[in-house]
Amino acid sequence: MKARFILSLILVSLGLVAAILPQKKNSSIELDAQQLLNEIQQENHLISTDEMANALINNDPEYQLIDLRSETEYKQYSLPGSINIPFEKLFDAEWAPYIDQIARKNVFYSNGTTLSSEAWMLTKQRGFKNNYILQGGLNEWYTTIIEPEVPASINGEEAINDYEARLGAKQFFTGAGAVNNASANTDAKKPVARKKKKMVAGGCS
Amino acid sequence: MKRPYIKLLGLIIVLLTVGLVFTSLQTSKKYKFDTKAIELHKELVSSTHFIDPQKASEILSKQHDEYIFVDIRNPREFDNFHIEGAVNVPMQQILDDQFISFLKNDKTKVLYSNESIEADQIRLLLTQFGYSNLFVLQGGANYWKENMISKDVFKSKGEYDDEKLKFDISKLTATE
């Protein structure tokens, strides 16, 4: 009689453990193929270099840059405030609190967009929220923020405003021309209001 | 006094077992989904699924029957310019029933979009949902149009890598 009791007790505890386990596994929300396809097409997960530069200039705490390149590349150069999670370590337990969270916007970046978009796809598939891609990666960062192209005059006022904002940003990130051009400092703050609406669009994903 | 106690335990065990079977049936799909992303991650780290323009032009010039180029841009872009022999499957329709048998056939598909980002994401999506033998053309249609125009004429060597830095890294930190 006592043996049967112990046996039952073991079974009950086993059952309880087993019943709780799978529930932990699916705490994240599953997307089906069509939803994922829609998300890819909506492009709400792309953050432009202008928007990112702006966030960095304004010290916006909402954004967390994540550098997916190797440690060597990261040490050589990285964007301000970024942390390094080499792509192959993306799902290592130590980084889980960073990539599976709801507090901040993670912005993945690499030299191009391959690593960042793959990281986005994988985290999306696992149901993690708040992950984004820096559009064009460091290559685009360079051609838009560090060495912005001078717009042709036919591009109109908006293009010129963009360009001025970028020059301000360039100065912020490289320190170039800081001494002789004090007025550029105010330019750096320019894009604040204008770019905000784009960020709202990416809110629910 | 002991008997009803055991009966109660027995009942709990039965209920738990039924509940367990029920929930595991319901969650097995989600669990698989989760592991698949991790498997996919390992695959991405260990092997390449990219074909550079150089290799693609070789494939085209040798007329390898086992390869097929899939243009995932919209029909307008496809009509405007596409790689010789490519088939147009707009990404919006990639999951439609009509393309299932095409995506499942034995041929190796080389997906391309304007650049490589969309094709890469679509490849991951399709791989995630069970299709294999998919590759992505580095640089996409834009690079091809600029540099490869016809299979015999190259403006560049066709070695394109999206993840390669296109400028001198020291310029990023340049002061004065």
Side-chain angles (χ1 to χ4, degrees), chain A residues 9-39:
Chain A
L9 203 68
I10 291 169
L11 277 171
V12 169
S13 42
L14 273 178
L16 277 171
V17 168
I20 290 162
L21 270 180
Q23 236 154 10
K24 265 191 177 171
K25 289 277 181 194
N26 62 28
S27 62
S28 47
I29 298 141
E30 184 188 332
L31 283 175
D32 71 16
Q34 190 59 51
Q35 283 172 308
L36 197 50
L37 181 60
N38 292 344
E39 294 239 9

mmCIF file of all heavy atoms in Angstrom, chain A residues 9-39:
data_model
loop_
_atom_site.group_PDB
_atom_site.id
_atom_site.type_symbol
_atom_site.label_atom_id
_atom_site.label_comp_id
_atom_site.label_asym_id
_atom_site.label_seq_id
_atom_site.Cartn_x
_atom_site.Cartn_y
_atom_site.Cartn_z
ATOM 1 N N LEU A 9 2.744 9.360 -6.013
ATOM 2 C CA LEU A 9 3.306 10.671 -5.729
ATOM 3 C C LEU A 9 4.350 11.049 -6.787
ATOM 4 O O LEU A 9 4.383 12.171 -7.295
ATOM 5 C CB LEU A 9 3.953 10.646 -4.340
ATOM 6 C CG LEU A 9 4.095 12.013 -3.679
ATOM 7 C CD1 LEU A 9 2.723 12.564 -3.329
ATOM 8 C CD2 LEU A 9 4.958 11.907 -2.433
ATOM 9 N N ILE A 10 5.180 10.055 -7.118
ATOM 10 C CA ILE A 10 6.203 10.296 -8.144
ATOM 11 C C ILE A 10 5.556 10.650 -9.475
ATOM 12 O O ILE A 10 5.945 11.609 -10.152
ATOM 13 C CB ILE A 10 7.117 9.053 -8.302
ATOM 14 C CG1 ILE A 10 7.973 8.885 -7.048
ATOM 15 C CG2 ILE A 10 8.003 9.173 -9.538
ATOM 16 C CD1 ILE A 10 8.710 7.577 -6.971
ATOM 17 N N LEU A 11 4.526 9.864 -9.799
ATOM 18 C CA LEU A 11 3.832 10.112 -11.061
ATOM 19 C C LEU A 11 3.221 11.505 -11.109
ATOM 20 O O LEU A 11 3.310 12.205 -12.114
ATOM 21 C CB LEU A 11 2.734 9.063 -11.282
ATOM 22 C CG LEU A 11 3.209 7.747 -11.882
ATOM 23 C CD1 LEU A 11 2.101 6.710 -11.858
ATOM 24 C CD2 LEU A 11 3.692 7.948 -13.308
ATOM 25 N N VAL A 12 2.613 11.893 -9.995
ATOM 26 C CA VAL A 12 1.983 13.211 -9.935
ATOM 27 C C VAL A 12 3.032 14.305 -10.140
ATOM 28 O O VAL A 12 2.872 15.209 -10.961
ATOM 29 C CB VAL A 12 1.246 13.435 -8.607
ATOM 30 C CG1 VAL A 12 0.832 14.895 -8.471
ATOM 31 C CG2 VAL A 12 0.031 12.545 -8.528
ATOM 32 N N SER A 13 4.152 14.171 -9.422
ATOM 33 C CA SER A 13 5.160 15.226 -9.556
ATOM 34 C C SER A 13 5.747 15.248 -10.968
ATOM 35 O O SER A 13 5.998 16.311 -11.538
ATOM 36 C CB SER A 13 6.274 15.069 -8.509
ATOM 37 O OG SER A 13 6.628 13.723 -8.403
ATOM 38 N N LEU A 14 5.946 14.052 -11.534
ATOM 39 C CA LEU A 14 6.424 13.988 -12.918
ATOM 40 C C LEU A 14 5.445 14.666 -13.859
ATOM 41 O O LEU A 14 5.822 15.437 -14.740
ATOM 42 C CB LEU A 14 6.602 12.529 -13.358
ATOM 43 C CG LEU A 14 7.936 11.873 -13.041
ATOM 44 C CD1 LEU A 14 7.936 10.425 -13.498
ATOM 45 C CD2 LEU A 14 9.077 12.635 -13.700
ATOM 46 N N GLY A 15 4.182 14.339 -13.636
ATOM 47 C CA GLY A 15 3.123 14.913 -14.468
ATOM 48 C C GLY A 15 3.124 16.418 -14.383
ATOM 49 O O GLY A 15 3.035 17.107 -15.400
ATOM 50 N N LEU A 16 3.255 16.909 -13.170
ATOM 51 C CA LEU A 16 3.267 18.362 -12.962
ATOM 52 C C LEU A 16 4.432 19.018 -13.709
ATOM 53 O O LEU A 16 4.262 20.004 -14.408
ATOM 54 C CB LEU A 16 3.356 18.687 -11.470
ATOM 55 C CG LEU A 16 2.039 18.657 -10.698
ATOM 56 C CD1 LEU A 16 2.281 18.784 -9.207
ATOM 57 C CD2 LEU A 16 1.126 19.782 -11.187
ATOM 58 N N VAL A 17 5.607 18.419 -13.542
ATOM 59 C CA VAL A 17 6.795 18.954 -14.206
ATOM 60 C C VAL A 17 6.595 18.974 -15.719
ATOM 61 O O VAL A 17 6.826 19.973 -16.392
ATOM 62 C CB VAL A 17 8.046 18.108 -13.847
ATOM 63 C CG1 VAL A 17 9.217 18.471 -14.758
ATOM 64 C CG2 VAL A 17 8.403 18.324 -12.388
ATOM 65 N N ALA A 18 6.103 17.826 -16.241
ATOM 66 C CA ALA A 18 5.908 17.712 -17.681
ATOM 67 C C ALA A 18 4.865 18.700 -18.186
ATOM 68 O O ALA A 18 4.972 19.237 -19.288
ATOM 69 C CB ALA A 18 5.502 16.291 -18.056
ATOM 70 N N ALA A 19 3.865 18.923 -17.373
ATOM 71 C CA ALA A 19 2.788 19.829 -17.788
ATOM 72 C C ALA A 19 3.269 21.280 -17.839
ATOM 73 O O ALA A 19 2.813 22.069 -18.657
ATOM 74 C CB ALA A 19 1.596 19.714 -16.851
ATOM 75 N N ILE A 20 4.204 21.600 -16.974
ATOM 76 C CA ILE A 20 4.691 22.980 -16.927
ATOM 77 C C ILE A 20 5.729 23.248 -18.024
ATOM 78 O O ILE A 20 5.754 24.314 -18.621
ATOM 79 C CB ILE A 20 5.278 23.290 -15.518
ATOM 80 C CG1 ILE A 20 4.139 23.347 -14.493
ATOM 81 C CG2 ILE A 20 6.045 24.597 -15.525
ATOM 82 C CD1 ILE A 20 4.584 23.217 -13.066
ATOM 83 N N LEU A 21 6.555 22.268 -18.331
ATOM 84 C CA LEU A 21 7.656 22.455 -19.287
ATOM 85 C C LEU A 21 7.262 23.025 -20.653
ATOM 86 O O LEU A 21 7.784 24.063 -21.044
ATOM 87 C CB LEU A 21 8.433 21.150 -19.467
ATOM 88 C CG LEU A 21 9.603 20.942 -18.504
ATOM 89 C CD1 LEU A 21 10.289 19.620 -18.790
ATOM 90 C CD2 LEU A 21 10.597 22.092 -18.580
ATOM 91 N N PRO A 22 6.370 22.379 -21.391
ATOM 92 C CA PRO A 22 6.116 22.886 -22.743
ATOM 93 C C PRO A 22 5.546 24.298 -22.763
ATOM 94 O O PRO A 22 5.716 25.022 -23.745
ATOM 95 C CB PRO A 22 5.099 21.896 -23.328
ATOM 96 C CG PRO A 22 4.565 21.137 -22.187
ATOM 97 C CD PRO A 22 5.592 21.186 -21.111
ATOM 98 N N GLN A 23 4.919 24.695 -21.686
ATOM 99 C CA GLN A 23 4.338 26.021 -21.657
ATOM 100 C C GLN A 23 5.425 27.111 -21.680
ATOM 101 O O GLN A 23 5.226 28.170 -22.238
ATOM 102 C CB GLN A 23 3.484 26.193 -20.404
ATOM 103 C CG GLN A 23 2.079 26.602 -20.768
ATOM 104 C CD GLN A 23 1.072 26.193 -19.735
ATOM 105 O OE1 GLN A 23 1.441 25.753 -18.644
ATOM 106 N NE2 GLN A 23 -0.177 26.313 -20.067
ATOM 107 N N LYS A 24 6.546 26.787 -21.092
ATOM 108 C CA LYS A 24 7.657 27.737 -21.103
ATOM 109 C C LYS A 24 8.180 27.947 -22.507
ATOM 110 O O LYS A 24 8.580 29.024 -22.885
ATOM 111 C CB LYS A 24 8.799 27.206 -20.226
ATOM 112 C CG LYS A 24 8.766 27.750 -18.827
ATOM 113 C CD LYS A 24 10.051 27.392 -18.118
ATOM 114 C CE LYS A 24 10.099 27.968 -16.734
ATOM 115 N NZ LYS A 24 11.232 27.443 -15.977
ATOM 116 N N LYS A 25 8.170 26.875 -23.283
ATOM 117 C CA LYS A 25 8.739 26.907 -24.627
ATOM 118 C C LYS A 25 8.000 27.870 -25.542
ATOM 119 O O LYS A 25 8.588 28.433 -26.448
ATOM 120 C CB LYS A 25 8.695 25.505 -25.247
ATOM 121 C CG LYS A 25 9.669 24.543 -24.611
ATOM 122 C CD LYS A 25 11.051 24.702 -25.196
ATOM 123 C CE LYS A 25 12.001 23.698 -24.560
ATOM 124 N NZ LYS A 25 13.376 24.021 -24.827
ATOM 125 N N ASN A 26 6.701 27.995 -25.354
ATOM 126 C CA ASN A 26 5.979 28.807 -26.331
ATOM 127 C C ASN A 26 5.464 30.121 -25.759
ATOM 128 O O ASN A 26 4.411 30.598 -26.136
ATOM 129 C CB ASN A 26 4.844 28.006 -26.971
ATOM 130 C CG ASN A 26 3.828 27.568 -25.945
ATOM 131 O OD1 ASN A 26 3.660 28.232 -24.926
ATOM 132 N ND2 ASN A 26 3.141 26.481 -26.194
ATOM 133 N N SER A 27 6.256 30.688 -24.861
ATOM 134 C CA SER A 27 5.857 31.973 -24.308
ATOM 135 C C SER A 27 5.831 33.055 -25.384
ATOM 136 O O SER A 27 5.164 34.055 -25.265
ATOM 137 C CB SER A 27 6.813 32.382 -23.194
ATOM 138 O OG SER A 27 8.094 32.538 -23.727
ATOM 139 N N SER A 28 6.570 32.791 -26.471
ATOM 140 C CA SER A 28 6.596 33.778 -27.541
ATOM 141 C C SER A 28 5.464 33.536 -28.542
ATOM 142 O O SER A 28 4.930 32.452 -28.637
ATOM 143 C CB SER A 28 7.939 33.721 -28.253
ATOM 144 O OG SER A 28 8.270 32.396 -28.523
ATOM 145 N N ILE A 29 5.171 34.566 -29.281
ATOM 146 C CA ILE A 29 4.050 34.478 -30.210
ATOM 147 C C ILE A 29 4.512 33.939 -31.556
ATOM 148 O O ILE A 29 5.502 34.381 -32.121
ATOM 149 C CB ILE A 29 3.411 35.865 -30.404
ATOM 150 C CG1 ILE A 29 2.880 36.351 -29.076
ATOM 151 C CG2 ILE A 29 2.309 35.826 -31.448
ATOM 152 C CD1 ILE A 29 3.071 37.815 -28.825
ATOM 153 N N GLU A 30 3.774 32.997 -32.056
ATOM 154 C CA GLU A 30 4.148 32.400 -33.330
ATOM 155 C C GLU A 30 3.562 33.183 -34.493
ATOM 156 O O GLU A 30 2.427 33.622 -34.464
ATOM 157 C CB GLU A 30 3.628 30.970 -33.367
ATOM 158 C CG GLU A 30 4.052 30.224 -34.598
ATOM 159 C CD GLU A 30 3.369 28.892 -34.691
ATOM 160 O OE1 GLU A 30 3.027 28.331 -33.637
ATOM 161 O OE2 GLU A 30 3.163 28.420 -35.817
ATOM 162 N N LEU A 31 4.389 33.346 -35.503
ATOM 163 C CA LEU A 31 3.912 33.968 -36.729
ATOM 164 C C LEU A 31 3.757 32.876 -37.758
ATOM 165 O O LEU A 31 4.563 31.966 -37.810
ATOM 166 C CB LEU A 31 4.958 34.947 -37.248
ATOM 167 C CG LEU A 31 5.104 36.299 -36.585
ATOM 168 C CD1 LEU A 31 6.276 37.014 -37.205
ATOM 169 C CD2 LEU A 31 3.855 37.122 -36.732
ATOM 170 N N ASP A 32 2.735 32.963 -38.589
ATOM 171 C CA ASP A 32 2.729 31.996 -39.680
ATOM 172 C C ASP A 32 3.399 32.620 -40.905
ATOM 173 O O ASP A 32 3.770 33.793 -40.902
ATOM 174 C CB ASP A 32 1.329 31.443 -39.953
ATOM 175 C CG ASP A 32 0.416 32.468 -40.593
ATOM 176 O OD1 ASP A 32 0.931 33.478 -41.099
ATOM 177 O OD2 ASP A 32 -0.801 32.250 -40.570
ATOM 178 N N ALA A 33 3.577 31.789 -41.922
ATOM 179 C CA ALA A 33 4.353 32.217 -43.085
ATOM 180 C C ALA A 33 3.797 33.495 -43.710
ATOM 181 O O ALA A 33 4.546 34.403 -44.068
ATOM 182 C CB ALA A 33 4.375 31.104 -44.123
ATOM 183 N N GLN A 34 2.481 33.567 -43.815
ATOM 184 C CA GLN A 34 1.866 34.717 -44.470
ATOM 185 C C GLN A 34 2.112 35.998 -43.664
ATOM 186 O O GLN A 34 2.437 37.042 -44.220
ATOM 187 C CB GLN A 34 0.363 34.479 -44.644
ATOM 188 C CG GLN A 34 -0.326 35.503 -45.526
ATOM 189 C CD GLN A 34 0.270 35.569 -46.944
ATOM 190 O OE1 GLN A 34 0.409 34.549 -47.605
ATOM 191 N NE2 GLN A 34 0.642 36.768 -47.393
ATOM 192 N N GLN A 35 1.994 35.888 -42.338
ATOM 193 C CA GLN A 35 2.239 37.064 -41.490
ATOM 194 C C GLN A 35 3.672 37.545 -41.631
ATOM 195 O O GLN A 35 3.934 38.746 -41.724
ATOM 196 C CB GLN A 35 1.965 36.719 -40.026
ATOM 197 C CG GLN A 35 0.499 36.661 -39.676
ATOM 198 C CD GLN A 35 0.303 36.131 -38.274
ATOM 199 O OE1 GLN A 35 0.832 35.067 -37.928
ATOM 200 N NE2 GLN A 35 -0.428 36.849 -37.456
ATOM 201 N N LEU A 36 4.588 36.571 -41.652
ATOM 202 C CA LEU A 36 5.999 36.922 -41.770
ATOM 203 C C LEU A 36 6.263 37.582 -43.122
ATOM 204 O O LEU A 36 6.980 38.575 -43.221
ATOM 205 C CB LEU A 36 6.848 35.656 -41.597
ATOM 206 C CG LEU A 36 8.327 35.842 -41.299
ATOM 207 C CD1 LEU A 36 8.552 36.805 -40.158
ATOM 208 C CD2 LEU A 36 8.973 34.502 -40.974
ATOM 209 N N LEU A 37 5.641 37.035 -44.156
ATOM 210 C CA LEU A 37 5.784 37.610 -45.495
ATOM 211 C C LEU A 37 5.263 39.051 -45.520
ATOM 212 O O LEU A 37 5.894 39.938 -46.094
ATOM 213 C CB LEU A 37 5.033 36.755 -46.515
ATOM 214 C CG LEU A 37 5.105 37.199 -47.988
ATOM 215 C CD1 LEU A 37 6.532 37.224 -48.493
ATOM 216 C CD2 LEU A 37 4.265 36.286 -48.869
ATOM 217 N N ASN A 38 4.132 39.277 -44.870
ATOM 218 C CA ASN A 38 3.586 40.630 -44.798
ATOM 219 C C ASN A 38 4.541 41.582 -44.093
ATOM 220 O O ASN A 38 4.753 42.704 -44.524
ATOM 221 C CB ASN A 38 2.239 40.636 -44.062
ATOM 222 C CG ASN A 38 1.156 39.931 -44.857
ATOM 223 O OD1 ASN A 38 1.312 39.690 -46.053
ATOM 224 N ND2 ASN A 38 0.077 39.567 -44.198
ATOM 225 N N GLU A 39 5.108 41.089 -43.003
ATOM 226 C CA GLU A 39 6.046 41.932 -42.240
ATOM 227 C C GLU A 39 7.270 42.303 -43.078
ATOM 228 O O GLU A 39 7.763 43.417 -43.014
ATOM 229 C CB GLU A 39 6.503 41.197 -40.977
ATOM 230 C CG GLU A 39 5.358 40.993 -40.002
ATOM 231 C CD GLU A 39 5.639 41.626 -38.662
ATOM 232 O OE1 GLU A 39 6.642 42.355 -38.549
ATOM 233 O OE2 GLU A 39 4.845 41.370 -37.732
#
